[in-house]
Amino acid sequence: MKQVPTLDIRRYDTDRDAFVAELGAAYRQFGFCCISGHGIPRELVEGAYQAFERFFALPTETKMKYHVPGSGGARGYTPFKVETAKDSRYPDLKEFWHIGREIPRDSRFAEVMPPNLWPQEVPEFKPYGYGLYEALDALGTRVLRALALHIGLPERYFDDKTDQGNSILRPIHYPPITEENIPNVRAGAHEDINFITLLVGASAEGLEVLSEGQWLPITTEGDAIVVNIGDMLQRLTNHVYPSTSHRVVNPQNENARKPRYSVPFFLHPNPDVVLDPLPECVTPDNPSRYDTSLTSHEYLMQRLREIKLI
């Protein structure tokens, strides 16, 4: 069976041309790649997961103190069965929290990037949560540099387009499934909205990616992190690098009775980045697919309405 490859990002420094070629090929075929050798400490990942689990174990009324109605879940807590995959009849079986970028409150983006909330009941949530945010943000920058070279752009082309991005770390809790034959799945088939997504801790079963009409399961080993293309980057690259449908299915074994946790990092461009197709990705065989300009913030608002977060 075909599978999404795992590439060691240390080769970007030792075997750059081959690494860039393999990374680009994986993204062109699958829209997904697994990245190992990234150097994010296991203690940081495990400490963050433990802090997130402690938060989700709190009573519902405590968690709801951190829910901000009308905010689209931009920061803080979003309860069960709110987010609904586009065109899905049923809401997802999950609750989650959003950690955003810490920016000066006099930043020009302050209006669209609110301050973070932190749960007082779990004091380690902030240092571990924001530590993991910064580590994944830095890794995402490295992946985008390799992708820029594959596109034919300068290595640091994306650096100043993502350094103030409205990126989100989203700890997710999928509760144990106790009912038979429920129509909902843990996360319905969807594409991500952002530039790229980095998923740390995809060792639990359930994540599947759609490839040539078949659902391929993805589980990682060791320190590997799943990194996939989102809709904004698909648009910017004129669909040369696809944003691929994926889902989290309910296990068909005893693991359905266990909770599942995952922590994706949604790397966004800066809110004012215009998502017009890059000239390098427009050819006679692949003419521009978009005739209207849209900023990343305008695109985000449009998509959040579709998935019922606003």
Side-chain angles (χ1 to χ4, degrees), residues 6 10 35-40 42 200-201 220-226:
T6 297
R10 288 172 293 194
I35 300 291
S36 64
H38 46 72
I40 296 176
R42 180 175 291 275
V200 59
T220 58
E221 294 182 8
D223 70 347
I225 288 175
V226 179

Side-chain angles (χ1 to χ4, degrees), residues 60-94:
T60 299
E61 57 269 26
T62 302
K63 292 183 284 191
M64 287 300 288
K65 290 194 308 183
Y66 302 101
H67 176 53
V68 185
S71 71
R75 300 291 183 268
Y77 175 67
T78 296
F80 288 115
K81 294 187 178 180
V82 172
E83 183 170 346
T84 305
K86 184 182 175 184
D87 301 326
S88 175
R89 292 171 56 197
Y90 304 103
D92 293 345
L93 299 176
K94 67 188 182 195

Side-chain angles (χ1 to χ4, degrees), residues 94-111:
K94 67 188 182 195
E95 58 179 341
F96 56 88
W97 182 281
H98 276 177
I99 298 170
R101 187 179 302 281
E102 297 276 1
I103 60 171
R105 296 326 300 167
D106 59 357
S107 163
R108 70 185 193 278
F109 298 133
E111 189 176 332

Side-chain angles (χ1 to χ4, degrees), residues 125-154:
F125 193 105
K126 179 177 179 178
Y128 276 110
Y130 204 68
L132 187 57
Y133 182 107
E134 291 184 309
L136 291 170
D137 196 31
L139 177 59
T141 296
R142 293 166 68 194
V143 172
L144 285 173
R145 287 175 182 170
L147 188 63
L149 292 176
H150 195 261
I151 295 170
L153 297 166

Side-chain angles (χ1 to χ4, degrees), residues 151 153 157 236-238 276-283 286:
I151 295 170
L153 297 166
Y157 177 82
L236 192 73
T237 62
N238 204 34
D276 289 351
L278 294 163
E280 291 80 1
C281 297
V282 176
T283 65
N286 187 32

Side-chain angles (χ1 to χ4, degrees), residues 17-280:
D17 290 349
F19 177 83
V20 167
E22 291 168 32
L23 182 86
Y27 283 137
R28 290 187 75 142
Q29 179 176 1
F30 296 107
F32 272 73
C33 187
C34 300
I35 300 291
S36 64
H38 46 72
I40 296 176
R42 180 175 291 275
E43 302 77 40
L44 175 59
V45 175
E46 291 177 352
Y49 264 87
Q50 289 165 11
F52 300 152
E53 287 180 31
R54 278 195 281 277
F55 170 77
F56 288 124
L58 293 171
T60 299
E61 57 269 26
T62 302
K63 292 183 284 191
M64 287 300 288
K65 290 194 308 183
Y66 302 101
H67 176 53
V68 185
S71 71
R75 300 291 183 268
Y77 175 67
T78 296
F80 288 115
K81 294 187 178 180
V82 172
E83 183 170 346
T84 305
K86 184 182 175 184
D87 301 326
S88 175
R89 292 171 56 197
Y90 304 103
D92 293 345
L93 299 176
K94 67 188 182 195
E95 58 179 341
F96 56 88
W97 182 281
H98 276 177
I99 298 170
R101 187 179 302 281
E102 297 276 1
I103 60 171
R105 296 326 300 167
D106 59 357
S107 163
R108 70 185 193 278
F109 298 133
E111 189 176 332
V112 298
M113 293 166 64
N116 278 308
L117 300 177
W118 301 108
Q120 297 172 335
E121 296 79 3
V122 187
E124 64 273 30
F125 193 105
K126 179 177 179 178
Y128 276 110
Y130 204 68
L132 187 57
Y133 182 107
E134 291 184 309
L136 291 170
D137 196 31
L139 177 59
T141 296
R142 293 166 68 194
V143 172
L144 285 173
R145 287 175 182 170
L147 188 63
L149 292 176
H150 195 261
I151 295 170
L153 297 166
E155 178 189 14
R156 294 177 179 264
Y157 177 82
F158 291 112
D159 283 21
D160 65 356
K161 297 168 183 63
T162 57
D163 59 350
Q164 292 294 303
N166 193 6
S167 302
I168 294 291
L169 186 75
R170 174 190 273 191
I172 305 173
H173 170 223
Y174 304 98
I177 297 166
T178 55
E179 301 171 40
E180 299 293 331
N181 303 318
I182 56 171
N184 314 61
V185 294
R186 284 179 158 172
H190 64 283
E191 299 82 44
D192 292 342
I193 297 170
N194 43 290
F195 245 23
I196 57 173
T197 301
L198 298 89
L199 176 64
V200 59
S203 53
E205 66 186 302
L207 177 62
E208 296 181 343
V209 57
L210 187 63
S211 178
E212 297 179 2
Q214 292 185 305
W215 288 102
L216 302 180
I218 298 183
T219 54
T220 58
E221 294 182 8
D223 70 347
I225 288 175
V226 179
V227 185
N228 63 278
I229 304 288
D231 288 350
M232 290 185 187
L233 194 55
Q234 172 180 259
R235 181 185 169 108
L236 192 73
T237 62
N238 204 34
H239 293 236
V240 171
Y241 302 90
S243 174
T244 308
S245 288
H246 52 287
R247 64 187 184 182
V248 179
V249 296
N250 305 339
Q252 300 301 306
N253 53 33
E254 68 278 2
N255 288 338
R257 303 287 185 263
K258 299 175 184 176
R260 183 184 195 273
Y261 300 89
S262 72
V263 185
F265 176 74
F266 301 113
L267 191 152
H268 281 255
N270 300 354
D272 58 357
V273 168
V274 177
L275 301 175
D276 289 351
L278 294 163
E280 291 80 1

